[in-house]
Amino acid sequence: MKESYSIPGCRVERVVRSGSTQTVLVVRTERRGAPCPSCKQHSDAQHSTYVRRPADVPSAGRAVQLELHVRRFSCRNARCERRTFAERLPRLLAPSARRTRRLARAQCAVGMTAGAEGGARLLKPLAMPTSPDTLLRLMHRAPLPAQIPPQAVGVDDWASRKGRTYGSILVDLKKHRVVDLLPDRSASTLAAWLRRHSGVEVIARDRSSEYARAVAEGAPHAQQVADRWHLLLNGRQMVERWLTGAHARLRALPEVPSADTAPVRRHASFPRTHSEARAREESRARRLAVYQAVRRRHMAGEPLLRISNTLRLARGTVRKYALATSFPERAARVPGPSILDPYLEYLVQRHTAGCENALALWREIRARGFKGTSRQVHRWLQTRRTTVAHSTPRIRRGNDSSPNLSPPGGALPSPKQLAWMCVQPKDALTPTEVTTLARIEQDTEAARVVTLVHRFGEIVRERSVTRGAKPINTCSTFEQWLGEARTCGVRAVETFAQGLEQDGDAVRAALTTPWSNAQSEGQITKLKLLKRQMYGRASFDLLRRRVLLAA
């Protein structure tokens, strides 16, 4: 072990086993003298010797402790304030340290990777035991990497406490690494950072007005680039807001015959019990009261933020209710696949032939391979009966115990699902989604919205990049789309187009340059992992250090 275990500036005299898990190395220095730390004059006049016992990196799975014999010398400079001094070993350990520098680096690396609590648990079987508090001290003292001024930066916000506290992350888009973390997402903080880093030439961001103002103040010469994913996201959010107000009108549209040969499936859920129906009506009454309160305050001119604080509602809910001209009913849930689906065609044929005996139908499909119970057939037949079943109690005869809760034109996906269909490429839609869009496009206003949104998605995806020898220019197409959207007659689309026009330079740069803010989203995912490793209780300084050192 003497030959294989190297200690900078020292020699190993002997190896002593201490217990079953520890090894003690008796070590002495090799130099003849040492310089005085005050006057720097060299001295070899030995005064005395004392022993230090720092911990070192393990060897062969055993913890190592050094028994370091340190010499004390007399300073021969008469004008020096020191009479004696101890020799120092800067490559091995710091003054008064209880562990060597290389052990401290190894423990700090584990703490940076696994966190203080997890790192302390991991270091124990690795024969480098220490406490979580010691790991935290080592992590706080770790030097930050040297930063090279970035030229292209991506900026985005991250949640320290979602819904309450947010910070900003800055990513070097050329080197694919985090440059810095900021404690908030205010324009003043980001502008001050940009003034300190005057070499930034390109800044990719989302469509936040706060970040746009910060870039204009801190780096007016830099080119702003709107993130293309956020452009599509904003387009989907715009369509969702419009669909929320128009959903009641669109649900009344008749279904469009589908050209696909999809298997027969249920389009509505089974009827609910009386208690479930009553709970549903009570829930609807509460939501209707909230909707009316929001509409009343909004029509009176009260700001949406004040309405949100007064009624204790989420801002998204307030905005949805304020923009909805009619009460936004909840979309009917389309049931998923069922074991009854392969037998629906046969059940429909038998019901058309006049059979309304649920047990008889169940026996027939059971002979065909059905593995379910008769209860499913009873529930399917309940809303299709033309006469009252013999087993129905007399007290319930003549009452509609299973009201049809599905919309007149059939179930329609929710506004969020419809908005997702609107921003998808047409060749990525399933036949069912194509039929759903064709159904809502029977409405003139909906047809204009869907057409404009599809075209906007194509413009963003087919941006102006050179493919082969022929460049594809989308700027002129975007300008044409912008002119049509501003005068389409749909308020939500016109407002969205006005916002794009105000942020026109950044949007056009997104369509003509390769820069994107996607790297920031990936780095935020790593940041969330580090934050959750520390149970969300880490200080901002510690979290910033871990993110920068992990980069």
Side-chain angles (χ1 to χ4, degrees):
M1 183 174 181
K2 293 182 181 181
E3 292 77 12
S4 61
Y5 200 90
S6 174
I7 301 177
C10 302
R11 69 176 185 276
V12 179
E13 291 190 343
R14 66 178 185 275
V15 180
V16 180
R17 289 181 177 269
S18 176
S20 59
T21 60
Q22 191 179 42
T23 300
V24 179
L25 303 182
V26 180
V27 179
R28 292 186 183 274
T29 57
E30 296 178 334
R31 296 181 301 180
R32 296 187 59 183
C36 175
S38 297
C39 65
K40 308 302 180 183
Q41 182 173 336
H42 192 273
S43 174
D44 56 2
Q46 184 172 337
H47 177 271
S48 59
T49 304
Y50 70 97
V51 178
R52 294 179 63 179
R53 293 181 172 83
D56 199 7
V57 292
S59 175
R62 298 173 62 89
V64 174
Q65 185 181 38
L66 303 181
E67 186 177 302
L68 178 60
H69 292 262
V70 182
R71 296 170 295 177
R72 183 175 288 276
F73 295 94
S74 299
C75 183
R76 295 183 174 181
N77 186 358
R79 293 191 295 271
C80 182
E81 60 182 7
R82 291 177 180 267
R83 291 290 177 265
T84 63
F85 63 90
E87 61 180 338
R88 297 186 178 183
L89 302 169
R91 294 174 54 197
L92 180 62
L93 75 165
S96 305
R98 302 288 299 274
R99 58 181 51 80
T100 61
R101 294 186 185 275
R102 56 189 180 185
L103 176 61
R105 286 194 297 268
Q107 291 175 335
C108 182
V110 173
M112 288 293 181
T113 304
E117 294 288 344
R121 291 192 296 268
L122 179 61
L123 286 169
K124 188 174 182 180
L126 295 179
M128 295 185 288
T130 190
S131 66
D133 291 340
T134 300
L135 275 183
L136 284 177
R137 286 194 296 270
L138 293 175
M139 293 160 69
H140 277 291
R141 294 172 185 170
L144 295 176
Q147 294 289 349
I148 300 177
Q151 295 180 347
V153 171
V155 58
D156 205 348
D157 59 351
W158 56 277
S160 174
R161 189 176 180 185
K162 192 170 183 179
R164 299 193 179 185
T165 308
Y166 288 85
S168 298
I169 185 170
L170 295 111
V171 180
D172 190 334
L173 300 180
K174 289 187 176 181
K175 297 186 177 179
H176 303 268
R177 59 182 300 174
V178 179
V179 177
D180 207 347
L181 286 186
L182 303 181
D184 56 48
R185 55 179 178 181
S186 64
S188 58
T189 303
L190 179 57
W193 188 92
L194 291 173
R195 293 189 192 99
R196 294 194 302 269
H197 301 78
S198 56
V200 177
E201 300 175 357
V202 178
I203 301 176
R205 57 171 177 80
D206 58 17
R207 299 198 50 242
S208 168
S209 58
E210 195 78 4
Y211 285 153
R213 186 167 63 254
V215 176
E217 295 176 1
H221 60 281
Q223 182 185 29
Q224 300 187 42
V225 182
D227 185 56
R228 290 182 292 277
W229 182 85
H230 281 93
L231 289 174
L232 294 175
L233 173 66
N234 297 148
R236 184 187 64 78
Q237 292 171 337
M238 176 271 295
V239 179
E240 183 180 346
R241 287 194 296 268
W242 179 83
L243 285 170
T244 300
H247 199 260
R249 183 176 79 246
L250 299 179
R251 282 191 299 175
L253 296 173
E255 291 186 346
V256 176
S258 177
D260 63 331
T261 57
V264 181
R265 287 182 57 185
R266 294 183 295 119
H267 296 287
S269 301
F270 288 127
R272 301 303 180 187
T273 62
H274 288 283
S275 60
E276 290 174 337
R278 186 164 52 252
R280 177 177 179 178
E281 290 299 323
E282 292 175 356
S283 175
R284 182 185 182 278
R286 290 193 298 269
R287 289 186 287 109
L288 179 60
V290 173
Y291 165 75
Q292 292 172 345
V294 171
R295 288 288 296 176
R296 185 168 55 252
R297 291 174 178 270
H298 178 63
M299 296 301 291
E302 190 171 344
L304 298 183
L305 184 59
R306 187 184 303 172
I307 299 175
S308 173
N309 295 333
T310 303
L311 300 181
R312 295 183 178 275
L313 296 174
R315 283 175 286 181
T317 303
V318 173
R319 186 183 300 109
K320 178 178 71 173
Y321 284 166
L323 298 179
T325 56
S326 60
F327 176 59
E329 298 281 0
R330 286 181 176 172
R333 187 182 68 86
V334 179
S338 169
I339 60 173
L340 194 62
D341 289 344
Y343 309 93
L344 288 179
E345 187 175 356
Y346 177 80
L347 290 175
V348 171
Q349 293 177 357
R350 294 288 291 123
H351 180 260
T352 305
C355 180
E356 294 189 355
N357 188 326
L359 285 176
L361 293 174
W362 172 65
R363 294 189 187 99
E364 292 176 12
I365 63 174
R366 186 178 62 173
R368 291 172 173 263
F370 181 63
K371 302 298 183 181
T373 64
S374 61
R375 176 62 179 164
Q376 292 170 296
V377 182
H378 275 285
R379 298 179 71 182
W380 175 84
L381 189 60
Q382 186 174 355
T383 57
R384 293 166 175 81
R385 291 187 181 275
T386 57
T387 58
V388 180
H390 295 291
S391 59
T392 303
R394 291 185 179 182
I395 192 173
R396 291 177 55 188
R397 296 192 180 193
N399 297 330
D400 185 13
S401 60
S402 57
N404 185 12
L405 301 177
S406 60
L412 188 68
S414 66
K416 180 176 291 187
Q417 294 170 328
L418 286 174
W420 178 257
M421 298 177 194
C422 291
V423 298
Q424 290 298 301
K426 292 184 178 180
D427 55 358
L429 297 175
T430 63
T432 303
E433 293 171 343
V434 172
T435 304
T436 302
L437 289 182
R439 175 184 172 186
I440 67 173
E441 285 179 349
Q442 296 176 96
D443 183 87
T444 306
E445 188 175 351
R448 290 201 301 270
V449 173
V450 172
T451 302
L452 286 170
V453 171
H454 268 309
R455 286 179 54 197
F456 178 73
E458 293 174 357
I459 292 171
V460 174
R461 293 184 184 94
E462 300 294 334
R463 52 193 175 87
S464 293
V465 293
T466 301
R467 296 183 180 177
K470 182 180 179 181
I472 302 174
N473 186 8
T474 50
C475 275
S476 59
T477 309
F478 173 69
E479 297 296 340
Q480 182 182 359
W481 179 91
L482 202 60
E484 295 179 11
R486 286 199 304 263
T487 58
C488 67
V490 182
R491 181 182 175 185
V493 180
E494 291 177 351
T495 304
F496 177 63
Q498 291 174 3
L500 292 178
E501 189 174 15
Q502 292 174 0
D503 204 15
D505 292 339
V507 175
R508 293 179 183 89
L511 301 177
T512 56
T513 63
W515 299 111
S516 171
N517 209 25
Q519 292 184 45
S520 302
E521 302 292 342
Q523 296 291 351
I524 289 174
T525 302
K526 295 181 181 179
L527 187 152
K528 289 179 180 178
L529 173 64
L530 296 176
K531 185 186 74 171
R532 288 165 183 166
Q533 278 185 341
M534 297 180 282
Y535 304 96
R537 297 197 297 265
S539 64
F540 173 76
D541 178 66
L542 179 60
L543 181 61
R544 177 174 176 268
R545 284 178 173 273
R546 288 195 64 184
V547 171
L548 295 180
L549 290 172

